[in-house]
């Protein structure tokens, strides 16, 4: 599934099963309720940031979808971009 970040950049995200969700160290995750992003981060964020851990737990309580992508070298910039992301429209996704 394609999501468009605040910057306009398109991201190809892999949808994961919410029921069997388990994090991997090498991935970045986007937790959403429909088209609304609730949390974006990685295992590193959960370990290092208590506020991120709290937001993660709250996000899982009402999430409808979980997506992943390989964690980039500059993950903080990508997290910031994805926090304001939305699913790309079909026409935009096909053009990309």
């Amino acid at each position: 599934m394609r999501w468009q970040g605040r910057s306009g950049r398109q991201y190809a995200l892999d949808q994961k099963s919410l029921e069997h969700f388990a994090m991997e160290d090498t991935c970045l995750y986007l937790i959403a309720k429909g088209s609304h992003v609730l949390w974006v981060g990685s295992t590193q964020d959960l370990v290092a940031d208590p506020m991120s851990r709290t937001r993660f737990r709250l996000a899982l309580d009402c999430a409808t979808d979980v997506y992943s992508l390989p964690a980039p070298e500059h993950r903080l910039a990508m997290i910031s971009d994805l926090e304001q992301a939305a699913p790309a429209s079909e026409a935009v996704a096909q053009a990309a």
Side-chain angles (χ1 to χ4, degrees):
M1 172 162 214
R2 288 203 159 298
W3 283 63
Q4 184 172 334
R6 176 179 34 186
S7 68
R9 180 176 173 192
Q10 297 267 326
Y11 297 92
L13 304 178
D14 293 325
Q15 189 162 17
K16 301 294 183 184
S17 167
L18 189 57
E19 276 186 30
H20 299 83
F21 176 56
M23 296 178 80
E24 298 176 22
D25 290 341
T26 59
C27 291
L28 193 64
Y29 295 91
L30 184 147
I31 299 174
K33 182 174 183 177
S35 63
H36 180 72
V37 176
L38 302 173
W39 182 84
V40 180
S42 65
T43 56
Q44 183 178 356
D45 299 303
L46 296 178
V47 171
D49 183 11
M51 181 170 294
S52 185
R53 233 180 349 264
T54 300
R55 288 181 57 221
F56 172 79
R57 287 185 188 125
L58 291 171
L60 281 181
D61 284 344
C62 58
T64 57
D65 301 289
V66 176
Y67 303 93
S68 71
L69 70 159
E73 184 177 326
H74 303 290
R75 71 180 178 75
L76 292 179
M78 186 179 283
I79 288 171
S80 177
D81 196 31
L82 284 169
E83 285 178 337
Q84 300 298 315
S89 67
E90 196 63 33
V92 174
Q94 290 178 357

